[in-house]
Amino acid sequence: MRDDRHASRGLPQEPAPPGDASDDAIRRLAGACYLALRTGDPAHLPLQPEAAVLDRSGLAGMHANLCQHLGVASDRATLIRGMQLSAVNTSRWNALASLLVSLESEDGIAPVLFKGGALHARWSLMRELRAMADYDLIVPQDQAAGLREALARRGFASTSPGSWLTRRLAKGWMACKGSGNAYQNLDVHARVTEPPVCTSLTRDILGTDARASGIRVPGLEDCVCMIALHVVRSGMHRPLREYIDLLWYVDALDDAGWHSLRSRAKRHQLIPALLLSLRQARHCLALEELAPDRAASLAARTASLEADVDSLRRRAIDWLAPPDYPLHPVARRNRPGFRRSLILGTGTSSAWRVAAAFALYGASRLGDALSGAQPSNAAMD
């Protein structure tokens, strides 16, 4: 786990001032967790962050278990948070792994586990550190109905997918089962986002030959591209753990790996999204303050991406999401028109595809409303 190419011990080791639950304190905590994870150096972890900071960051479990793994003293409440995350993740992971084995052996369906779940598959340590709202699976469109039926036979309840057209255009649907630590929540996809946006990324992820822990997962470059797409699709507002995911992948790339990632992002028309997401990650993890050398290295890589972005799009990017875009979205720039079109269109190098996607999907939802069908609420999340 240790990687000392950019080691830095810039984090002060005094407790945060009482009541300091500001965005800056949250960014410092996120950066500290990432640097401790990346380097294996406990000196990065702050002493006993404020409870409000831990709660607002969404990283309480990660911080607690990093303290335990790296030998940093912590109080009982912190230990309990870590134990809770480990217990929930272990239960859900074991259930998922068993489910995927049975789907492949009994039904001939081998979904690809992607987004955050790929981290759990590739690095077992992440199952104790990375909280998971749900596990994301993707299958070809022609297997979606079969997978729905197979999950139903195993006790999963699914949200209503709406009309046939909505099912064809929506990116996915939810399936859930159980309660408490036994709760299983799956977000099942037939594509990474609404068509015709990023169809090449959908094809490449579905065509993967890679496996981790016996489970199909995307290649590393496509994992990064998926995070970048997720960031811009959400209007530049994602949980901090996703920026940690992004840098976990990117920081491990040597020059050849970075060149390969740029080529893959260009193929998927996601160079602007990669630029935006990496720039946002540097800010949200407070790297300029905590690890200036890492921040400079990342800045050099993001600068290399700008050469592949035309000047008009760069100006749009700087207006929509400047380098110091706040941790929480700007209200006037986070309305559906911005979140669902302008930022996504700017971030995917394909404004016409975005316009077509939302025109098609909007028409299908309108048709569902007029006909009384109930489309999935997860489809556009």
Side-chain angles (χ1 to χ4, degrees), residues 96-111 143 147 150 153-154 211 214-216:
L96 175 75
S98 176
L99 170 67
L100 294 179
V101 168
S102 71
L103 285 172
E104 188 166 7
S105 61
E106 298 172 20
D107 299 274
I109 300 174
Q143 293 184 12
L147 178 56
R153 290 195 300 272
R154 290 166 173 82
R211 287 192 180 245
I215 295 169
R216 293 180 69 205

Side-chain angles (χ1 to χ4, degrees), residues 47-366:
L47 299 178
Q48 205 53 51
E50 290 289 312
V53 174
L54 288 169
D55 290 339
R56 290 187 61 206
S57 71
L59 301 173
M62 173 178 280
H63 172 264
N65 286 337
L66 279 170
C67 286
Q68 184 177 6
H69 280 286
L70 298 179
V72 175
S74 54
D75 62 11
R76 182 172 179 272
T78 298
L79 291 173
I80 290 174
R81 286 174 181 258
M83 291 169 61
Q84 289 172 335
L85 176 64
S86 296
V88 170
N89 276 0
T90 298
S91 174
R92 294 179 65 197
W93 172 259
N94 290 340
L96 175 75
S98 176
L99 170 67
L100 294 179
V101 168
S102 71
L103 285 172
E104 188 166 7
S105 61
E106 298 172 20
D107 299 274
I109 300 174
V112 178
L113 177 64
F114 72 129
K115 296 187 183 179
L119 288 160
H120 279 195
R122 279 197 165 95
W123 295 284
S124 58
L125 176 61
M126 287 293 189
R127 298 171 205 164
E128 298 182 28
L129 302 177
R130 211 287 194 182
M132 202 72 61
D134 52 43
Y135 280 115
D136 291 87
L137 306 175
I138 186 167
V139 294
Q141 182 72 57
D142 59 9
Q143 293 184 12
L147 178 56
R148 179 185 289 277
E149 293 171 1
L151 291 175
R153 290 195 300 272
R154 290 166 173 82
F156 283 85
S158 299
T159 54
S160 173
S163 66
W164 175 87
L165 180 59
T166 299
R167 291 198 301 271
R168 296 292 298 184
L169 295 176
K171 72 180 181 69
W173 42 273
M174 301 295 297
C176 49
K177 173 184 178 181
S179 61
N181 283 0
Y183 180 67
Q184 299 175 59
N185 184 17
L186 305 177
D187 194 358
V188 186
H189 303 248
R191 50 179 59 86
V192 297
T193 192
E194 293 75 22
V197 180
C198 290
T199 52
S200 63
L201 180 57
T202 295
R203 287 194 301 269
D204 284 1
I205 290 178
L206 286 173
T208 183
D209 292 324
R211 287 192 180 245
S213 301
I215 295 169
R216 293 180 69 205
V217 293
L220 294 176
E221 295 94 340
D222 286 335
C223 286
V224 175
C225 288
M226 187 64 231
I227 298 171
L229 172 61
H230 218 205
V231 169
V232 298
R233 190 179 182 280
S234 68
M236 302 298 296
H237 179 48
R238 298 305 307 162
L240 288 168
R241 61 178 177 265
E242 292 193 23
Y243 296 112
I244 292 175
D245 296 348
L246 181 66
L247 292 193
W248 176 258
Y249 283 117
V250 172
D251 258 359
L253 297 175
D254 58 15
D255 289 342
W258 173 251
H259 179 74
S260 177
L261 172 60
R262 284 184 62 185
S263 297
R264 187 60 64 94
K266 189 171 184 178
R267 163 181 162 79
H268 299 321
Q269 298 185 308
L270 286 172
I271 287 288
L274 186 58
L275 168 62
L276 274 166
S277 57
L278 287 173
R279 202 165 69 175
Q280 185 73 349
R282 188 178 72 168
H283 172 68
C284 286
L285 303 188
L287 292 187
E288 290 189 351
E289 175 186 351
L290 302 182
D293 48 352
R294 285 182 181 270
S297 176
L298 186 58
R301 285 184 163 180
T302 54
S304 72
L305 296 172
E306 293 182 0
D308 294 323
V309 180
D310 62 82
S311 59
L312 179 61
R313 193 176 296 273
R314 282 202 304 272
R315 285 196 292 272
I317 285 172
D318 288 339
W319 182 75
L320 289 166
D324 58 349
Y325 192 78
L327 195 60
H328 304 289
V330 178
R332 68 180 182 276
R333 299 183 186 181
N334 200 47
R335 298 186 178 97
F338 285 92
R339 184 176 64 253
R340 300 302 193 191
S341 55
L342 290 182
I343 293 181
L344 181 58
T346 299
T348 58
S349 299
S350 186
W352 77 264
R353 289 177 182 269
V354 173
F358 287 103
L360 289 168
Y361 191 76
S364 75
R365 292 291 293 264
L366 178 61

